[in-house]
Every structure is written in structure tokens, then in C-alpha cells.
Amino acid sequence: MKDLIVFDAGDLGKFLVYNIGLFDDEYDMLGFMDENADKAGGELCGLPILGIDYLQSGHADDLCMVIAISCPAIKEIIYEKLKPYNLIFPIFIASNSWLSKKVDTGYGIIICTNTSINFEWEICDFVMLNSGCYIGYNVSIVRFTT
């Protein structure tokens, strides 16, 4: 089982924690991480909210992190701050979503429930597709897009 921290103690993060069973891999949920100092030390969904200092104290080895932020600009800023820690950014694809053959994916992707993606797609790093998306063929979605 892999250790996982959800970056951002907001609605998308809560969705992932409450519905982690929809995704293929099994994780040991360590908690949330948030830059907001007022949230650090608190609790959400029964899990602790950690500050970024958790990574600075050497806990980043083999740690999975999902950036649960919808805003592309903020998501990119957070990634740049996390990049020095050599974290693993897994792909989260809801089990009730469908991806055709010939779909290339990057890392850090979140594909929510009931999403259909047709063939010859490129989904770049840190893309988030919300529930119920239907996307045709021959498309490329650039990094950090929601």
C-alpha cells in the first residue's frame, strides 16, 4: 500500500478522500497538506492537515501526492513548490470512467466519475476532468488544465 497525501484541504480533496475506493490503487491516507497556516494542525474528513514543513523534515521518500486544486495557475505554482521533494504524482481515474485505446496520459491526472474519453488523446500532466465529461477523438489537453 502506498502512502498518500492530498494537497489542498478543499472540496476536490474531500471528494478524493471520500471516494478513494473509486480509483484502482490502494493508498494509506496520511492526511491533507495545505499552505494555509490556519488549517495546518487541524483535521478534515478524520485526517490531519499537515503543513509543508512535513516534507521539509524528510518525509517525502516514496510518498504519493495528489494536487487537488482546480485552478490551473495555482495548481502549477503548487507543483513548482513541491517539485524539489521528488514526490510521486499518481494518476487517479475513476473506475466507472472509460478511456479508449490510444490515450496517452501524463502524471498527476485526476479523471472523475462517468467520464468518457475517445481515442487518440493526449492528456498532459496535472489535468483534471470533472464528473460526466465526454471528450471526442484526436485531442490534446495541456498541462494543468481543468
Side-chain angles (χ1 to χ4, degrees):
M1 195 172 294
K2 303 169 195 165
D3 291 339
L4 176 70
I5 292 179
V6 176
F7 196 99
D8 198 59
D11 289 336
L12 181 56
K14 288 190 288 188
F15 167 81
L16 290 170
V17 168
Y18 287 143
N19 298 289
I20 197 68
L22 289 173
F23 304 97
D24 290 335
D25 289 333
E26 291 187 20
Y27 294 96
D28 181 16
M29 300 295 296
L30 299 183
F32 290 89
M33 185 169 288
D34 205 288
E35 283 194 308
N36 183 337
D38 294 336
K39 290 183 180 181
E43 189 175 286
L44 183 66
C45 305
L47 297 170
I49 301 175
L50 309 167
I52 196 97
D53 57 333
Y54 180 83
L55 298 176
Q56 295 165 343
S57 59
H59 290 96
D61 292 340
D62 297 320
L63 180 64
C64 294
M65 178 81 67
V66 58
I67 302 175
I69 297 173
S70 296
C71 176
I74 294 172
K75 193 173 3 179
E76 185 171 8
I77 290 168
I78 295 301
Y79 170 69
E80 290 300 323
K81 289 181 181 182
L82 295 174
K83 194 164 47 170
Y85 297 105
N86 295 316
L87 299 163
I88 299 165
F89 296 98
I91 298 171
F92 286 85
I93 301 173
S95 58
N96 63 354
S97 290
W98 177 77
L99 276 68
S100 176
K101 293 181 180 181
K102 303 283 282 175
V103 174
D104 294 324
T105 58
Y107 54 89
I109 294 168
I110 302 170
I111 298 177
C112 294
T113 57
N114 299 313
T115 296
S116 292
I117 300 173
N118 221 321
F119 64 93
E120 294 180 355
W121 255 76
E122 178 186 23
I123 304 172
C124 295
D125 306 331
F126 300 103
V127 167
M128 196 280 278
L129 298 176
N130 217 330
S131 297
C133 288
Y134 174 79
I135 301 170
Y137 53 90
N138 295 326
V139 177
S140 179
I141 300 180
V142 298
R143 294 178 82 194
F144 304 105
T145 299
T146 296

